[in-house]
Amino acid sequence: MTDALKRLSDEGVAIWLDDLSRKRITSGNLAELIDQQHVVGVTTNPSIFQKAISEGHGYDQQLSDLAAREVTVEEAIRMITTADVRDAADILRPVFDATHGLDGRVSIEVDPRLAHNTKATVAEAKQLAWLVDRPNTLIKIPATKAGLPAITEVIGLGISVNVTLIFSLERYRAVMDAYLAGLEKAKERGLDLSKIHSVASFFVSRVDTEIDKRLDSLGTDEAKALRGKAALANARLAYEAYEEVFSGERWAALDKAQANKQRPLWASTGVKDPAYKDTLYVDELVAPGTVNTMPEATLEATADHGEITGNTIAGTYGQARADLAALEKLGIGYDDVVQLLEDEGVDKFEASWNDLLKSTEAELKRLAPSEA
């Protein structure tokens, strides 16, 4: 076992776990990961909760109580997921306090069926923040076109946000703009900007999965040479955009008011292609002020054999641009790929939410009190 995770933390990368379940909380596993594996945050999504609730019996007591009250399946899901997030937030509270609110964060997602409804997303974000009632919560809002004004409004209310499902550089710049607009609204309202935090979840592995598939169908040596390069190029250029925006004049005014930068978060960092090293999207995306949220398998792989050699983003922008230009030259359209991935991302989360509804409904029926 190396201490790659410590080296990663020392380089300014916050290590978050991309998983949460009642068992992980009650067994002491989450506390152990914080204590021993440098984990300083947790992210969740509908897929993670669906898996947690459908496996084992960790939720039986709460589900039984909810069934006895005859609550709707939607209310049951919110009671269950917010309970897990609240408990995880309490476990991470010492990290939150020690880092002055930067880390020790737990994310919970708005209902993905609202991804294209700005007003409903804002209402849901407010409700979730109230339900969890912990200062170290991040409300996850997707970076759809309807999500952008919702991000501005929610940040403007003083609620911290994890912007999710970002694939394109253009949309990422729009997300940063939405965040700055939200901070400006919060400032106008007299809110304490130092208490508002945000991360922007830029998805990584799915970009390679889609582009590699298109390269394989071309089958040329030129195409093969570009396999596994698109995701890193995309993420590295996102970091370039982050550096630019958070050193500009607009940011300077907010910085004076004690605002926090919106950190880039590398999401979807589990490697999908066995031809690639399983720590590829950790080793090659090291830069200060970033977050890497890892599935447990990636966390363990990094702890075991990650190669953390310092900043692996600095000085890469020229090559990253060249790699994306080479893809365009082969007829693989960047805009087409990122739009497809955003659409698929929303659809996948919505499908997981529907699966979560079905499995929770089945559990409520199973545990419902029998009539006398």
Side-chain angles (χ1 to χ4, degrees):
M1 186 74 75
T2 68
D3 210 352
L5 293 173
K6 182 181 186 304
R7 289 202 299 279
L8 192 61
S9 293
D10 290 345
E11 288 292 338
V13 179
I15 299 165
W16 290 8
L17 177 71
D18 191 25
D19 190 55
L20 186 62
S21 67
R22 186 77 43 96
K23 186 180 177 185
R24 198 181 282 285
I25 291 164
T26 57
S27 67
N29 173 261
L30 178 58
E32 192 177 284
L33 291 173
I34 295 162
D35 187 47
Q36 297 175 17
Q37 300 282 59
H38 306 279
V39 168
V40 293
V42 169
T43 48
T44 64
N45 61 45
S47 304
I48 287 168
F49 277 127
Q50 194 275 329
K51 185 170 178 283
I53 291 168
S54 61
E55 290 179 1
H57 299 281
Y59 296 88
D60 280 9
Q61 184 57 61
Q62 189 179 9
L63 280 161
S64 180
D65 291 345
L66 291 165
R69 287 173 50 214
E70 298 182 356
V71 302
T72 64
V73 65
E74 278 92 352
E75 187 182 346
I77 286 169
R78 277 309 179 210
M79 292 300 103
I80 290 163
T81 56
T82 54
D84 277 3
V85 168
R86 192 180 307 115
D87 288 344
D90 288 343
I91 293 167
L92 278 153
R93 185 60 189 260
V95 176
F96 174 80
D97 292 338
T99 60
H100 306 289
L102 186 67
D103 285 307
R105 295 272 173 179
V106 188
S107 299
I108 185 167
E109 188 132 4
V110 297
D111 183 335
R113 296 172 299 181
L114 308 177
H116 303 296
N117 184 329
T118 303
K119 195 173 177 184
T121 295
V122 172
E124 171 99 339
K126 287 159 68 177
Q127 172 77 354
L128 284 173
W130 177 82
L131 268 176
V132 178
D133 193 26
R134 293 294 184 272
N136 49 333
T137 311
L138 289 170
I139 307 302
K140 285 179 91 172
I141 297 175
T144 54
K145 284 178 182 170
L148 295 171
I151 292 156
T152 296
E153 186 55 36
V154 172
I155 290 289
L157 294 169
I159 297 169
S160 294
V161 171
N162 175 345
V163 183
T164 188
L165 289 175
I166 308 170
F167 295 96
S168 85
L169 294 165
E170 183 185 0
R171 185 59 55 84
Y172 177 44
R173 284 184 179 275
V175 165
M176 290 188 283
D177 183 69
Y179 175 61
L180 296 180
L183 288 176
E184 286 158 354
K185 274 194 171 194
K187 190 179 173 189
E188 282 170 22
R189 289 173 174 150
L191 299 180
D192 181 353
L193 300 194
S194 72
K195 297 282 196 288
I196 305 169
H197 286 261
S198 183
V199 293
S201 295
F202 201 87
F203 279 55
V204 184
S205 67
R206 294 186 196 182
V207 174
D208 272 343
T209 301
E210 180 59 33
I211 286 182
D212 284 356
K213 185 170 72 179
R214 298 183 186 204
L215 289 168
D216 290 344
S217 71
L218 291 173
T220 63
D221 288 343
E222 199 180 359
K224 284 175 191 165
L226 286 167
R227 287 186 98 259
K229 292 190 174 176
L232 290 176
N234 200 36
R236 285 165 169 172
L237 292 175
Y239 191 78
E240 181 188 38
Y242 157 77
E243 288 183 308
E244 186 186 305
V245 169
F246 289 100
S247 61
E249 283 180 31
R250 189 179 179 192
W251 169 248
L254 291 162
D255 189 33
K256 275 184 193 167
Q258 268 74 55
N260 298 290
K261 291 178 181 178
Q262 182 186 54
R263 290 183 292 173
L265 177 151
W266 311 128
S268 180
T269 55
V271 171
K272 308 287 195 293
D273 189 331
Y276 303 149
K277 190 185 174 195
D278 55 2
T279 59
L280 175 68
Y281 303 126
V282 179
D283 298 350
E284 298 298 330
L285 290 174
V286 178
T290 59
V291 180
N292 196 310
T293 183
M294 308 178 202
E296 191 167 24
T298 305
L299 181 76
E300 288 173 355
T302 302
D304 184 61
H305 53 264
E307 295 177 57
I308 309 304
T309 56
N311 189 325
T312 48
I313 292 183
T316 64
Y317 304 144
Q319 185 59 53
R321 267 190 279 276
D323 288 342
L324 293 186
L327 289 166
E328 290 281 353
K329 204 173 168 187
L330 290 178
I332 296 173
Y334 177 85
D335 292 342
D336 174 57
V337 169
V338 293
Q339 188 57 57
L340 174 72
L341 290 171
E342 181 187 309
D343 293 343
E344 283 182 353
V346 173
D347 289 346
K348 281 176 184 172
F349 276 177
E350 192 170 326
S352 295
W353 189 265
N354 288 329
D355 288 342
L356 178 57
L357 286 168
K358 284 176 199 159
S359 53
T360 305
E361 188 171 34
E363 290 295 291
L364 288 169
K365 281 179 181 166
R366 179 175 72 82
L367 295 163
S370 52
E371 292 181 21

